[in-house]
Coordinates of all heavy atoms in Angstrom, one line a residue:
N519 N 1.4 11.1 -3.4 CA 2.0 11.7 -4.6 C 1.5 11.1 -5.8 O 2.1 11.3 -6.8 CB 3.6 11.5 -4.5 CG 3.9 10.0 -4.3 OD1 3.0 9.2 -4.1 ND2 5.2 9.7 -4.4
L520 N 0.3 10.4 -5.8 CA -0.3 10.0 -6.9 C -1.7 10.7 -7.0 O -2.4 11.0 -6.0 CB -0.5 8.5 -6.9 CG 0.7 7.6 -7.1 CD1 0.3 6.1 -6.9 CD2 1.4 7.9 -8.3
V521 N -2.2 10.9 -8.3 CA -3.5 11.5 -8.5 C -4.2 10.7 -9.6 O -3.6 9.9 -10.3 CB -3.4 13.0 -9.1 CG1 -2.9 13.9 -8.0 CG2 -2.7 13.1 -10.4
L522 N -5.6 10.8 -9.7 CA -6.3 10.1 -10.7 C -6.8 11.3 -11.6 O -7.5 12.2 -11.1 CB -7.6 9.5 -10.0 CG -8.5 8.7 -11.0 CD1 -7.7 7.7 -11.8 CD2 -9.7 8.2 -10.3
I523 N -6.5 11.2 -12.8 CA -7.0 12.1 -13.8 C -8.2 11.5 -14.5 O -8.0 10.5 -15.1 CB -5.9 12.5 -14.8 CG1 -4.7 13.2 -14.2 CG2 -6.5 13.4 -15.9 CD1 -3.4 13.2 -15.0
V524 N -9.4 12.1 -14.4 CA -10.5 11.6 -15.0 C -10.9 12.4 -16.2 O -11.1 13.8 -16.1 CB -11.7 11.6 -14.0 CG1 -13.0 11.0 -14.7 CG2 -11.4 10.7 -12.8
S525 N -11.1 11.8 -17.4 CA -11.4 12.6 -18.6 C -12.7 12.0 -19.2 O -12.7 10.7 -19.3 CB -10.3 12.5 -19.6 OG -9.1 13.0 -19.2
I526 N -13.7 12.7 -19.3 CA -15.0 12.3 -19.9 C -15.2 12.8 -21.3 O -15.3 14.1 -21.5 CB -16.2 12.6 -19.0 CG1 -15.9 12.1 -17.5 CG2 -17.5 12.1 -19.5 CD1 -16.9 12.7 -16.6
V527 N -15.2 12.0 -22.3 CA -15.2 12.4 -23.7 C -16.3 11.6 -24.5 O -16.8 10.7 -24.0 CB -13.8 12.1 -24.3 CG1 -12.7 13.1 -23.7 CG2 -13.3 10.8 -24.3
K528 N -16.4 12.1 -25.7 CA -17.4 11.5 -26.5 C -16.9 10.0 -26.9 O -15.7 9.8 -26.9 CB -17.6 12.3 -27.9 CG -18.3 13.6 -27.6 CD -18.4 14.3 -28.9 CE -19.0 15.7 -28.7 NZ -19.1 16.5 -29.9
K529 N -17.8 9.1 -27.3 CA -17.5 7.8 -27.6 C -16.5 7.8 -28.8 O -16.7 8.6 -29.8 CB -18.7 7.0 -28.1 CG -18.4 5.5 -28.3 CD -19.6 4.9 -28.7 CE -19.3 3.4 -29.2 NZ -20.4 2.6 -29.6
G530 N -15.4 7.1 -28.7 CA -14.4 7.0 -29.7 C -13.2 7.9 -29.5 O -12.2 7.7 -30.2
W531 N -13.3 8.7 -28.5 CA -12.2 9.6 -28.2 C -11.3 9.2 -27.1 O -10.3 9.7 -26.8 CB -12.7 11.0 -27.9 CG -13.2 11.8 -29.0 CD1 -13.8 11.2 -30.2 CD2 -13.5 13.1 -29.1 NE1 -14.2 12.3 -31.0 CE2 -14.0 13.5 -30.3 CE3 -13.2 14.2 -28.2 CZ2 -14.5 14.6 -30.7 CZ3 -13.6 15.5 -28.6 CH2 -14.2 15.7 -29.8
G532 N -11.6 8.0 -26.3 CA -10.9 7.5 -25.2 C -9.5 7.2 -25.6 O -8.5 7.4 -24.8
D533 N -9.3 6.5 -26.8 CA -7.9 6.1 -27.2 C -7.0 7.3 -27.4 O -5.8 7.3 -27.1 CB -7.9 5.2 -28.4 CG -8.4 3.8 -28.2 OD1 -8.2 3.4 -27.0 OD2 -9.1 3.2 -29.1
E534 N -7.6 8.4 -27.8 CA -6.9 9.6 -28.1 C -6.3 10.2 -26.7 O -5.2 10.6 -26.6 CB -7.7 10.7 -28.7 CG -7.9 10.4 -30.2 CD -6.7 10.5 -31.1 OE1 -5.9 11.4 -30.9 OE2 -6.6 9.7 -32.0
V535 N -7.2 10.1 -25.7 CA -6.9 10.6 -24.4 C -5.8 9.8 -23.8 O -4.8 10.3 -23.3 CB -8.1 10.6 -23.5 CG1 -7.7 10.9 -22.0 CG2 -9.1 11.5 -23.9
V536 N -5.8 8.5 -24.0 CA -4.8 7.5 -23.4 C -3.5 7.7 -24.1 O -2.4 7.9 -23.5 CB -5.3 6.0 -23.5 CG1 -4.1 5.1 -23.1 CG2 -6.5 5.8 -22.6
N537 N -3.5 7.9 -25.4 CA -2.3 8.1 -26.2 C -1.6 9.4 -25.8 O -0.4 9.5 -25.7 CB -2.6 8.1 -27.7 CG -3.0 6.8 -28.2 OD1 -2.6 5.7 -27.6 ND2 -3.7 6.7 -29.4
A538 N -2.5 10.5 -25.6 CA -1.9 11.8 -25.3 C -1.3 11.6 -23.9 O -0.3 12.3 -23.6 CB -3.1 12.9 -25.3
S539 N -2.0 11.0 -22.9 CA -1.5 10.8 -21.6 C -0.2 10.1 -21.5 O 0.8 10.5 -20.8 CB -2.5 10.0 -20.7 OG -3.7 10.6 -20.7
C540 N 0.0 9.1 -22.4 CA 1.2 8.3 -22.4 C 2.4 9.1 -22.9 O 3.4 9.0 -22.5 CB 1.0 7.0 -23.3 SG 0.0 5.8 -22.4
K541 N 2.0 10.0 -24.0 CA 3.0 10.9 -24.5 C 3.6 11.8 -23.5 O 4.7 12.3 -23.5 CB 2.4 11.7 -25.7 CG 2.8 11.3 -27.0 CD 2.3 12.2 -28.1 CE 2.5 11.6 -29.4 NZ 2.0 12.5 -30.5
A542 N 2.8 12.2 -22.6 CA 3.0 13.1 -21.5 C 3.7 12.5 -20.2 O 4.0 13.2 -19.3 CB 1.9 14.0 -21.1
G543 N 3.8 11.2 -20.3 CA 4.5 10.6 -19.2 C 3.6 9.6 -18.3 O 4.2 9.0 -17.4
A544 N 2.4 9.4 -18.6 CA 1.6 8.6 -18.0 C 1.9 7.1 -18.4 O 2.5 6.9 -19.5 CB 0.1 8.8 -18.1
K545 N 1.7 6.1 -17.5 CA 2.0 4.7 -17.8 C 0.9 4.0 -18.6 O 1.1 3.0 -19.1 CB 2.2 3.9 -16.6 CG 3.3 4.5 -15.6 CD 4.7 4.3 -16.2 CE 5.7 4.8 -15.2 NZ 7.0 4.8 -15.7
G546 N -0.3 4.6 -18.7 CA -1.4 4.0 -19.4 C -2.7 4.7 -18.9 O -2.7 5.6 -18.2
G547 N -3.8 4.0 -19.2 CA -5.1 4.5 -18.7 C -6.2 3.3 -18.8 O -6.0 2.3 -19.5
T548 N -7.3 3.5 -18.3 CA -8.4 2.6 -18.4 C -9.6 3.4 -18.9 O -10.0 4.5 -18.5 CB -8.8 2.1 -16.9 OG1 -7.7 1.4 -16.4 CG2 -9.9 1.1 -17.0
I549 N -10.3 2.8 -19.9 CA -11.4 3.4 -20.6 C -12.7 2.6 -20.2 O -12.7 1.4 -20.2 CB -11.3 3.3 -22.1 CG1 -10.1 4.0 -22.6 CG2 -12.5 3.9 -22.7 CD1 -9.7 3.9 -24.1
V550 N -13.6 3.4 -19.6 CA -14.9 2.9 -19.1 C -16.0 3.5 -19.9 O -15.9 4.7 -20.2 CB -15.0 3.2 -17.6 CG1 -16.4 2.7 -17.1 CG2 -13.9 2.7 -16.8
F551 N -17.0 2.7 -20.3 CA -18.0 3.3 -21.1 C -19.1 3.8 -20.3 O -19.5 3.1 -19.2 CB -18.5 2.2 -22.2 CG -17.4 1.9 -23.1 CD1 -16.7 0.7 -22.8 CD2 -17.1 2.7 -24.2 CE1 -15.6 0.3 -23.7 CE2 -16.1 2.3 -25.0 CZ -15.3 1.1 -24.9
G552 N -19.8 4.9 -20.7 CA -21.0 5.4 -20.0 C -21.8 6.1 -20.9 O -21.7 6.1 -22.1
R553 N -22.9 6.8 -20.3 CA -23.7 7.6 -21.1 C -24.2 8.8 -20.3 O -24.1 8.7 -19.1 CB -25.0 6.8 -21.6 CG -25.8 6.2 -20.6 CD -26.8 5.2 -21.1 NE -27.5 4.4 -20.0 CZ -28.6 4.8 -19.5 NH1 -29.2 5.8 -19.9 NH2 -29.1 4.1 -18.5
G554 N -24.6 9.8 -20.9 CA -25.1 10.9 -20.2 C -25.6 12.0 -21.2 O -25.6 11.9 -22.3
R555 N -26.0 13.2 -20.5 CA -26.6 14.2 -21.3 C -26.1 15.6 -20.8 O -26.2 15.8 -19.5 CB -28.1 14.2 -21.3 CG -28.7 15.1 -22.3 CD -30.2 15.0 -22.2 NE -30.7 15.5 -21.0 CZ -31.9 15.6 -20.5 NH1 -32.8 15.2 -21.3 NH2 -32.2 16.0 -19.4
G556 N -25.7 16.4 -21.6 CA -25.2 17.8 -21.2 C -26.0 18.8 -21.9 O -26.9 18.6 -22.7
V557 N -25.7 20.1 -21.5 CA -26.3 21.2 -22.2 C -26.3 21.2 -23.7 O -27.3 21.5 -24.4 CB -25.8 22.5 -21.7 CG1 -26.3 23.7 -22.3 CG2 -25.8 22.6 -20.1
H558 N -25.1 20.7 -24.2 CA -25.1 20.7 -25.8 C -25.6 19.4 -26.4 O -25.5 19.2 -27.5 CB -23.6 20.8 -26.1 CG -23.0 22.2 -25.6 ND1 -23.3 23.4 -26.3 CD2 -22.2 22.5 -24.6 CE1 -22.7 24.3 -25.6 NE2 -22.1 23.8 -24.6

Side-chain angles (χ1 to χ4, degrees):
N519 57 351
L520 293 175
V521 295
L522 179 65
I523 301 170
V524 180
S525 306
I526 304 170
V527 295
K528 294 178 183 180
K529 183 179 177 185
W531 291 18
D533 287 329
E534 289 292 323
V535 173
V536 173
N537 292 338
S539 299
C540 289
K541 256 186 188 175
K545 305 286 185 192
T548 300
I549 301 172
V550 180
F551 297 99
R553 59 189 171 96
R555 187 180 70 178
V557 174
H558 298 283

